[in-house]
Amino acid sequence: MKNNKRPLWAALVILAMIGVLLIAFYELAPKKETKETTLRNEKPKTLKIVESGGGDFLQTQGQKVREKDRATLELIQHYNIRKEYNVGEMHIFVKEVKLIKMTDIVDEEKQYLNNYNNKSIEDLLKEKNKYKDADWNELNEAVQKSGWKIKDHAYYIEIIYKVTNQYPEEVQFFSFLDVQFDGESFFVPRRNFIFSDDTFVGESSASRVDYRKGEKREGRIGLLLKNRPKQMGDIQFSTDNVRNGVTHELIRSGKNFDIPLK
């Protein structure tokens, strides 16, 4: 009897092992099928392509968008500022500041951007009186040497804001006259490569479009950076004076402000 039990015990063990293998097979098979089905159903991520205003679509760090016939934009840093600055009854509301990287830049766009990466004469004249006694030829030569050529990529800061004239009259004003960031000074009328309601105006006070009574303008500024900032420090900006739109009489002197990036 003992000899008969051994083959029976061995058979039971084999049957048990076969049962375990069958259960394992049926447990794993559906999971594999589901995984394969999911992979088949997944659509490859495509880069959103827009005609213009690509920066508007960038809200999440690392997000990218392609501006048709221009470049691919990637959001590196995003700051939701929402802070108001007042010069008399001129109200500047800064909404956002973005650090954006441009890649795959088309040649025509590189040529366009190269017009905005030189320092202006106004910028040079502020550099510790270094060019105080320089003539116009020396200044123009220094302007040409101050720039760099856009190559495979570029960084820029974008400032989004709006301006409201709450004076009961028409006035002359320029909200962002100078910007200081990452150790560099930008004379905005000549360094900004993005045009908007508030910046598509003349470079001098006499040629700028006046604000009508109660007028609101959307503003957007793009300033090219030679290198990616190692640390995003605060932005400083100064405004122009507020003047009467008819008599050009001074109403309020310009002011200096800080935009904290936190």
Side-chain angles (χ1 to χ4, degrees), residues 72-134:
T72 298
L73 309 182
E74 179 184 357
L75 183 62
I76 304 300
Q77 294 287 347
H78 181 210
Y79 300 91
N80 191 22
I81 307 298
R82 309 196 67 79
K83 185 176 175 67
E84 186 173 283
Y85 304 87
N86 300 311
V87 183
E89 293 304 316
M90 296 302 297
H91 297 264
I92 305 168
F93 182 70
V94 179
K95 300 176 183 178
E96 305 169 82
V97 172
K98 298 176 181 180
L99 174 63
I100 296 174
K101 181 180 181 180
M102 303 175 67
T103 54
D104 303 320
I105 310 170
V106 301
D107 290 340
E108 292 81 359
E109 182 65 14
K110 290 179 183 179
Q111 293 174 10
Y112 170 75
L113 293 174
N114 282 333
N115 295 318
Y116 296 91
N117 58 17
N118 293 331
K119 294 182 180 180
S120 66
I121 290 177
E122 289 81 357
D123 294 332
L124 294 175
L125 291 174
K126 294 172 185 175
E127 293 186 354
K128 300 178 181 179
N129 296 323
K130 181 179 178 180
Y131 298 96
K132 182 179 179 181
D133 299 322

Side-chain angles (χ1 to χ4, degrees), residues 33-44:
E33 182 180 346
T34 302
K35 183 177 181 181
E36 290 176 352
T37 303
T38 302
L39 290 174
R40 285 197 302 268
N41 292 335
E42 278 185 356
K43 294 181 180 179

Side-chain angles (χ1 to χ4, degrees), residues 247-262:
T247 66
H248 308 302
E249 180 184 358
L250 179 65
I251 299 174
R252 184 63 65 92
S253 297
K255 296 178 69 175
N256 300 319
F257 297 107
D258 287 346
I259 303 176
L261 302 184
K262 296 181 180 179

Side-chain angles (χ1 to χ4, degrees), residues 169-221:
E169 58 191 312
E170 186 175 286
V171 298
Q172 281 186 321
F173 182 65
F174 199 73
S175 52
F176 283 79
L177 188 63
D178 288 287
V179 166
Q180 292 81 41
F181 174 72
D182 197 38
E184 186 171 354
S185 178
F186 302 85
F187 182 62
V188 175
R190 295 185 185 172
R191 298 290 297 276
N192 173 36
F193 69 89
I194 300 177
F195 297 110
S196 64
D197 289 347
D198 188 55
T199 55
F200 194 60
V201 291
E203 294 182 359
S204 65
S205 296
S207 65
R208 292 175 190 150
V209 178
D210 294 347
Y211 282 84
R212 300 183 303 274
K213 174 185 175 181
E215 182 180 2
K216 294 181 181 180
R217 292 182 186 175
E218 295 293 327
R220 187 178 299 269
I221 294 170

